[in-house]
Amino acid sequence: MNIANVLTVLRILIVPLFLLALFAAGGHDTEWRWIAAALFGAAAITDRIDGQLARKYGLVTDFGKLADPIADKALIGSALIGLSMLHDLPWWITVVIVAREIGVTLLRLAVVRRGVIPAGRGGKLKTLVQSVAIGVLLLPLSGGFASAGMDLMYVAVVLTVVTGLDYLVQAARLWFGPGGSRAA
């Protein structure tokens, strides 16, 4: 265990606390929503920090390679599903984002013997915009501020689809690239 992995585990442990806060008092209590937003924000920040620490100090481990994406998907997925259950986010957005995340994970697994599809700038931007949009939607805001959260989420959906298609192209290149087509 190193500091990067500890932060990843901490992020995983925050997810149930975040959900408890999100759904407390019917899901729309102002104080609980602020607490849920703070927990989400803290978890999202640990994602950024643990990755930087792991790369900068050579703390990349097999555990981290496995646990970090699980933690990310648990945090983002639980927030999206929670917001949709509370009718604060349309279900179609949740379905698009969650389906893309599952699809990219399956694509990566399908081509892993031929190569690794690294996280690109688009994927990192997608995660950042998703996180900021979710953070804003979690806050008990109204008017233009609440609209800004949905506007950010629409941008996140576009980035989600575009980067998902990019992963699909990369996977096809690995699958059918040098070495000939894949034999069944």
Side-chain angles (χ1 to χ4, degrees), residues 110-179:
V111 300
V112 73
R113 289 191 175 164
R114 292 186 170 256
V116 174
I117 303 173
R121 287 185 192 157
K124 291 177 183 180
L125 178 62
K126 176 244 353 154
T127 300
L128 174 65
V129 175
Q130 281 179 355
S131 296
V132 172
I134 289 168
V136 173
L137 290 173
L138 288 169
L139 293 172
L141 303 173
S142 60
F145 292 110
S147 296
M150 279 309 300
D151 291 343
L152 278 171
M153 188 56 75
Y154 292 132
V155 171
V157 169
V158 170
L159 289 169
T160 298
V161 171
V162 168
T163 58
L165 292 172
D166 182 54
Y167 278 107
L168 185 61
V169 167
Q170 289 183 60
R173 284 184 187 143
L174 283 173
W175 193 261
F176 299 111

Side-chain angles (χ1 to χ4, degrees), residues 62-113:
D62 288 339
F63 172 81
K65 289 177 188 177
L66 177 65
D68 187 68
I70 290 171
D72 296 345
K73 286 167 183 40
L75 179 65
I76 297 291
S78 67
L80 293 169
I81 292 168
L83 286 167
S84 291
M85 289 175 70
L86 293 170
H87 306 289
D88 292 337
L89 181 68
W91 275 105
W92 72 264
I93 291 175
T94 297
V95 169
V96 166
I97 293 174
V98 170
R100 182 265 190 205
E101 295 303 326
I102 292 169
V104 166
T105 299
L106 293 174
L107 273 175
R108 283 180 160 164
L109 291 172
V111 300
V112 73
R113 289 191 175 164

